[in-house]
Amino acid sequence: MPHPYVLLSAAVSLDGYLDDTGPERLLLSGPADFDRVDEVRASVDAILVGAGTIRADNPRLLVNSDERRAARTAAGRPEYPLKVTVSGSGDLDPEARFWHTGGEKVLYTTGQGAERARALGLATDVVPLGADLDWRRLLTHLHDVRGVRRLMVEGGGLIHTQLLTQGLADELHLVLAPLFVGDPKAPRLFGPGGYQGGRLRLLETRRIEDVVLMRYEPTAPGTGSLPTAADHHWLALACELADLCPPSDTAFSVGAVVVAADGTELARGHSREGDDPVAHAEEAALAKLDPSDPRLATATVYSSLEPCARRASRPAPCARLLLDAGVRRVVTAWREPDTFVQDADGSGVLAAGGAEVVALPEHEDRAKAPNRHLL
């Protein structure tokens, strides 16, 4: 199901702590970085913190700049982003500043937590998610019911850990402060968990006074039928590659990317690449790889259009080429229409051959864009 774009934001000490154990909040960055955070808040539809952050820090989570709030309202948006919190127990202080500043608020909780929250009279919309907190259900509700397209998550460490290990974080904004905490009782940014293997992609580094902002993007594909944020990133790239195809009135323009399980890009291709007027995207990408590469068995192939099941230009269709290469997970944006081949079903061929096929239809319009003249 569609989710908002999830941006994790945190500042940490050089030894990875979010705070110390003193009575006052440890200030890890300065005025210039606080203003940057305010700018990011103004750009999103909602800001989320966990119940522990409300209890420990009593935050207001506001957009402080008058100019930025005015720009939001001029654009037809609420003056403040929606404020979101998560609590399994629903046991939160009704006098906390979170409830009494800014605009709308929503609490996601369990069935029992909803009863407690309503009994406390919290000034918020209470949304029960069932017996347990489910991040995918929460994000889908935010997207579909509350219209949230960009979500900023400001803590705490447990929530950051859960969203990263479940593959639901699109981007990480990490500010590194030049100090040490050194107290094992202090809260850390990340706890133990099943993080992606391999390296995240560095998008930006920026010096802000005496701290450094680093922006990272997770890269590891999902496993099985559950998509990760990285799956969306790679499929978006495949759709961009389709724009590189030489125009044709007799074939679709398609882009494809082959990605190893650790997030390493192995190859990319697009239709009619190079000097081959009948090359398909998946075929062009596979041709750049050693067929014996052991990473293919656990790789994911992203294709803007489902791999073909039948073709006249070559003996083997792309679905068969992928299966023969050992690929067992394919993510696509668009099912092949009957424009050139009736009842095409590359996804069915792949599934019959033991591959997992994941469709992300929210990318379909982008995949169709270079093919409008054929439709």
Side-chain angles (χ1 to χ4, degrees):
M1 300 294 291
H3 294 161
Y5 186 94
V6 177
L7 185 160
L8 308 186
S9 176
V12 294
S13 64
L14 289 175
D15 50 349
Y17 288 94
L18 288 165
D19 200 356
D20 58 18
T21 54
E24 301 296 328
R25 175 72 175 172
L26 176 64
L27 296 180
L28 291 163
S29 56
D33 187 54
F34 294 147
D35 186 66
R36 177 196 63 82
V37 171
D38 195 67
E39 182 179 23
V40 177
R41 286 180 179 176
S43 72
V44 301
D45 302 305
I47 305 167
L48 184 149
V49 295
T53 299
I54 293 178
R55 297 184 187 109
D57 300 337
N58 196 21
R60 296 183 304 159
L61 296 181
L62 302 178
V63 174
N64 294 311
S65 164
D66 294 338
E67 292 79 7
R68 290 172 185 142
R69 294 199 308 273
R72 286 178 60 89
T73 56
R77 305 171 73 190
E79 183 179 12
Y80 294 100
L82 173 71
K83 295 200 294 188
V84 185
T85 190
V86 184
S87 169
S89 69
D91 187 11
L92 289 160
D93 181 1
E95 300 305 317
R97 293 188 296 182
F98 180 92
W99 315 113
H100 303 289
T101 56
E104 292 188 65
K105 298 94 182 170
V106 59
L107 164 66
Y108 289 97
T109 183
T110 61
Q112 289 185 340
E115 295 179 8
R116 183 176 291 108
R118 289 171 179 142
L120 288 170
L122 297 180
T124 185
D125 178 20
V126 178
V127 179
L129 295 174
D132 300 298
L133 294 174
D134 183 320
W135 279 108
R136 290 181 183 269
R137 285 188 62 194
L138 185 158
L139 293 174
T140 298
H141 188 275
L142 277 177
H143 183 279
D144 292 352
V145 178
R146 302 306 301 247
V148 173
R149 297 298 178 265
R150 289 183 64 84
L151 171 67
M152 181 181 187
V153 180
E154 294 197 38
L158 177 61
I159 286 178
H160 282 144
T161 297
Q162 290 174 342
L163 289 169
L164 269 176
T165 55
Q166 293 181 37
L168 298 173
D170 291 274
E171 188 174 338
L172 171 62
H173 288 195
L174 182 63
V175 167
L176 192 62
L179 54 84
F180 294 94
V181 173
D183 186 343
K185 296 180 181 179
R188 300 186 70 92
L189 174 56
F190 296 121
Y195 297 96
Q196 77 158 72
R199 305 169 77 87
L200 281 69
R201 180 181 296 109
L202 179 64
L203 302 175
E204 178 191 6
T205 59
R206 190 193 321 168
R207 178 178 176 176
I208 306 173
E209 294 177 333
D210 66 344
V211 303
V212 176
L213 166 69
M214 297 168 287
R215 293 175 51 232
Y216 287 99
E217 179 182 78
T219 59
T223 58
S225 61
L226 288 178
T228 64
D231 285 327
H232 289 276
H233 297 176
W234 289 116
L235 188 57
L237 173 59
C239 292
E240 290 176 12
L241 291 172
D243 291 332
L244 303 177
C245 301
S248 172
D249 291 327
T250 58
F252 291 112
S253 293
V254 183
V257 190
V258 185
V259 182
D262 68 354
T264 301
E265 180 181 332
L266 300 180
R268 61 175 67 182
H270 60 267
S271 305
R272 301 176 292 283
E273 185 174 347
D275 298 325
D276 190 342
V278 296
H280 286 197
E282 303 91 336
E283 177 184 33
L286 288 175
K288 299 168 185 173
L289 294 171
D290 182 344
S292 64
D293 190 329
R295 295 174 296 179
L296 283 169
T298 54
T300 295
V301 171
Y302 299 88
S303 182
S304 59
L305 178 69
E306 72 171 338
C308 62
R310 300 190 302 276
R311 63 188 295 190
S313 58
R314 294 277 160 79
C318 291
R320 176 48 54 191
L321 292 176
L322 293 173
L323 291 172
D324 290 347
V327 173
R328 291 299 179 267
R329 187 170 187 266
V330 178
V331 179
T332 70
W334 179 29
R335 294 295 300 268
E336 184 178 352
D338 292 342
T339 308
F340 303 115
V341 177
Q342 291 294 312
D343 300 319
D345 187 16
S347 298
V349 172
L350 289 165
E356 184 78 51
V357 182
V358 181
L360 300 180
E362 52 265 53
H363 297 269
E364 182 175 313
D365 285 346
R366 183 67 184 84
K368 287 180 176 178
N371 297 287
R372 291 296 182 195
H373 62 293
L374 300 173
L375 304 176

